[in-house]
Amino acid sequence: MKEILLEIANEAVDRSACVLNYPPPSVYFLEFADSSLNFTLVVWAKAFNMAWDVQDFINTRIDERFREEGIEIPFPQMDVHIRKS
């Protein structure tokens, strides 16, 4: 998973005019959560006002790549039990 995220970050450097190549992108595996593995992906935008463009590019590529790889993102589920009195 970490490798895929780093590949996506490097794609952003190569394909997006908004992302700096230095400092280089990095990925950190932060924790095991209840239904997920939590990572932080760090890239640097060329300007503060480009942050939304960078985030959109990265998130779109993560979604596309995860679908290609068959990686599903778990969403919290809740069971509701209704009792009739």
Side-chain angles (χ1 to χ4, degrees):
M1 183 92 62
K2 190 172 178 178
E3 296 81 17
I4 292 171
L5 294 172
L6 193 55
E7 287 174 16
I8 290 168
N10 286 317
E11 275 183 40
V13 169
D14 294 339
R15 295 177 42 199
S16 173
C18 301
V19 181
L20 292 172
N21 63 348
Y22 187 84
S26 52
V27 179
Y28 301 95
F29 179 26
L30 298 181
E31 65 183 338
F32 293 93
D34 290 339
S35 298
S36 66
L37 306 175
N38 293 342
F39 295 83
T40 293
L41 173 64
V42 179
V43 296
W44 295 89
K46 289 185 178 179
F48 180 78
N49 64 343
M50 295 178 170
W52 292 109
D53 296 309
V54 172
Q55 186 171 354
D56 178 67
F57 182 93
I58 296 281
N59 286 343
T60 299
R61 279 301 294 139
I62 289 171
D63 182 52
E64 291 169 353
R65 183 69 184 274
F66 280 17
R67 288 174 194 269
E68 291 169 9
E69 299 286 338
I71 298 170
E72 295 182 17
I73 299 174
F75 293 98
Q77 295 181 1
M78 181 185 306
D79 292 332
V80 177
H81 300 273
I82 300 173
R83 295 183 186 185
K84 294 183 180 181
S85 317

